[in-house]
Amino acid sequence: MANITRSWRRFLAVGCSHGHHADQALLKRVLAFKARWKPHTTIHLGDAIDLACLRAGAAGTADDAVDPESDLQDGLAFLHQLEPRLYFLGNHEARLNTLMESPRAIVAALAARVMAQVTDQAKRMRCEVVDYNFQHGWRQIGDCLFGHGYMVNEAAVRDHAEAVCGGTASKVVIAHLHRVMQAEGRNRSHPTGYCVGWLGDKDAMGYAANRRATTSWSRGFAWGEYCDNETVVWLAKETHAGDFRLPI
């Protein structure tokens, strides 16, 4: 019998860094791990910028006064350092596509300018920008689908696995929920879902502070290896001491 050799490559996936809300010390730890791990494929799963002043319901709140320029520049700075090959637009970036059609000219112009800077940065990095789209906003590496994530219920990680896995894809990795977790799907193909958590400051995003679900947020990322038909995913979750226990 012929010896079959599979060439394994490495990946790193992060998400929900949220621009000016990012914890800069945490970003440095992630980048330091990337330098050690040397992934062949690096992925940002979306919400690299926050755009709090453009969210629905921001009018008249503290978010209405947040400077979009500093948020954008912080988000682009991390993307520049991370150098992802894939950048998925999250629901925060997706606001821009909607607001570019706003009847308020100043809002439409701001949204168009921010989106242009995001796409220009991606072009300079030779990074593919993937639209926020439940049907088409996924990319497969090995047997794993990567995307921002769309559902937000308590079983959302499991539900993503059941909804999008199939055929040659038996795993899915998302961000969106701000929780580091893994869940198994309930069908005969045995899909598995993973969520990478978020990279924001624990005291940031005040508009979510009084939601009970916010107490379940955790910070981390995904890393692992893949070949043509399989992917091994490991989740790194921040310890109580604010560090990551990693083998390298």
Side-chain angles (χ1 to χ4, degrees), residues 145-165:
L145 293 168
F146 291 83
H148 178 69
Y150 301 86
M151 294 171 272
V152 295
N153 59 70
E154 286 300 309
V157 177
R158 181 200 70 193
D159 289 352
H160 277 88
E162 293 177 351
V164 304
C165 291

Side-chain angles (χ1 to χ4, degrees), residues 177-241:
L177 304 172
H178 294 194
R179 300 196 299 269
V180 180
M181 61 182 299
Q182 174 181 338
E184 307 302 316
R186 304 162 301 170
N187 60 50
R188 294 176 64 188
S189 65
H190 306 294
T192 305
Y194 303 86
C195 185
V196 302
W198 77 310
L199 300 175
D201 188 299
K202 293 177 181 177
D203 297 321
M205 303 180 76
Y207 63 84
N210 293 323
R211 299 174 186 170
R212 186 177 182 182
T214 306
T215 62
S216 70
W217 288 4
S218 51
R219 310 194 298 178
F221 56 89
W223 59 293
E225 297 180 289
Y226 64 96
C227 62
D228 290 341
N229 61 357
E230 191 170 1
T231 307
V232 178
V233 181
W234 295 295
L235 291 173
K237 183 178 180 179
E238 184 183 31
T239 67
H240 293 307

Side-chain angles (χ1 to χ4, degrees), residues 21-92:
H21 285 316
D23 184 322
Q24 295 300 319
L26 188 64
L27 300 188
K28 289 178 181 177
R29 290 198 288 275
V30 172
L31 293 170
F33 174 71
K34 179 186 176 181
R36 300 193 303 273
W37 181 232
K38 296 180 173 56
H40 299 86
T41 301
T42 302
I43 302 164
H44 196 297
L45 293 164
D47 288 355
I49 50 179
D50 189 66
L51 301 172
C53 66
L54 297 179
R55 73 174 178 87
T61 71
D63 286 339
D64 202 21
V66 174
D67 178 14
E69 186 63 29
S70 63
D71 174 42
L72 173 63
Q73 294 309 316
D74 284 349
L76 293 180
F78 179 54
L79 286 174
H80 176 73
Q81 294 172 303
L82 184 67
E83 295 182 305
R85 193 188 88 182
L86 289 169
Y87 170 34
F88 293 85
L89 300 183
N91 55 297
H92 283 244

